[in-house]
Amino acid sequence: MKIIDLRSDTITLPTEDMRRAMYEAEVGDDVYKEDPTVNLLEELAARMLEKEAALFTASGTMSNLIAILTYTRHGNEIIMGSEAHMLWAEVGSASALGGVVMRTVPNEQDGRLDLGMVEQAIRPENIHFPRTTLLCLENTHNRCGGTVLTPEYTSAIAELAHQHGLRVHLDGARIFNAAVALDVPVSELVAPADSVCFSLSKGLSAPVGSLLCGTQEFVAKARKWRKMLGGGMRQVGIIAAAGIIALQKMVARLAEDHATARHLAYGLANIPGITVHPDRVQTNIVMFEPPITIPTPEFIQRSNARGVRSGSPGGRRVRAVTHRMVTKADIDEALNRIEFLVREIESEAH
Ligand code: TLP
């Protein structure tokens, strides 16, 4: 039985081109900034995003934490959405290691934050209050189902934050999915943010890595924090080489993942008992709910036993993520297996 793995786009394996580039990569000691392949990757990322500089880090989690450490001091408050990945799935690192208070504003269903609510959450100067120093955004928004923030919205909220003296960090783990979905240059999407990070190891299929981009000054400070966290790696051009291929060759094809996600969502909508909103699918993430008679963890387990893997962000929801390693035919097969399972569940309930 073929396993159709929709747990995450992080499971994508490196391409042949990537493996070849890794084998052939020219390398040096990156702590001395002497790895030509890492330097090339950082220059390429900075150029594509139209930021002054970029820093190669081990992961999205590390990039986000470095951004917080660079912008804030212990005891500061930072604002983010109630569904932010930084809040839910980064082990509380902002508080544990950054010493900051994470103040949340409810995320709208489409990943946005209400401007008025953000403004209210920004603390005025008061002897009792922590100082608010940073606003964190997420594009695409993972827990909101891969939803995109437009350049117009991003500009408006960043302008508000800047007016109040805050910096803006964008967790753009899947920013290229947003750019492809909106058909806008990625640079336009990230222009309003002071810093942005994106992942090489999700839909772009590289094995490891994230890039944290911003001004020269920001990146110089971030580089020092990376060293403190143990992220100063040596001949890391071996993995950066795959990242270069990811940026050069893997961006445009993300549109295919968006098409398979829509195909999956519309297919799920045809299975009685499943709750799904195909019209809300904007990129490569599909959220749905199994029949009410079955707890979500049990549904996921039984679906897994039939070779369709998925995950859950919690509650009733199941998350399915499309990527390079699942084809439209695989989605058809997954839909058949899920339909069969749902029928079985419904017959047990009667
Ligand atoms: N997301 C992973 C899991 O952690 C849930 C996934 O499978 O989606 N920001 C966003 C928006 C992310 O979705 C992720 C990873 C990260 C940051 C962290 O990146 P890594 O995994 O490289 O530390």
Side-chain angles (χ1 to χ4, degrees), residues 7-10 58-62 64 85 89-90 138 140 142 171 173-174 199 201-202 209-210 319:
R7 284 173 304 168
S8 184
D9 45 9
T10 57
S59 65
T61 302
M62 184 186 267
N64 284 331
H85 191 276
E90 298 182 13
E138 189 174 317
T140 67
N142 186 345
D171 175 357
R174 296 185 179 83
S199 287
S201 60
K202 297 193 168 68
S210 162
R319 186 186 81 153

Side-chain angles (χ1 to χ4, degrees), residues 32 49 135 290 301:
Y32 296 116
L49 272 66
L135 172 70
Q301 193 196 327

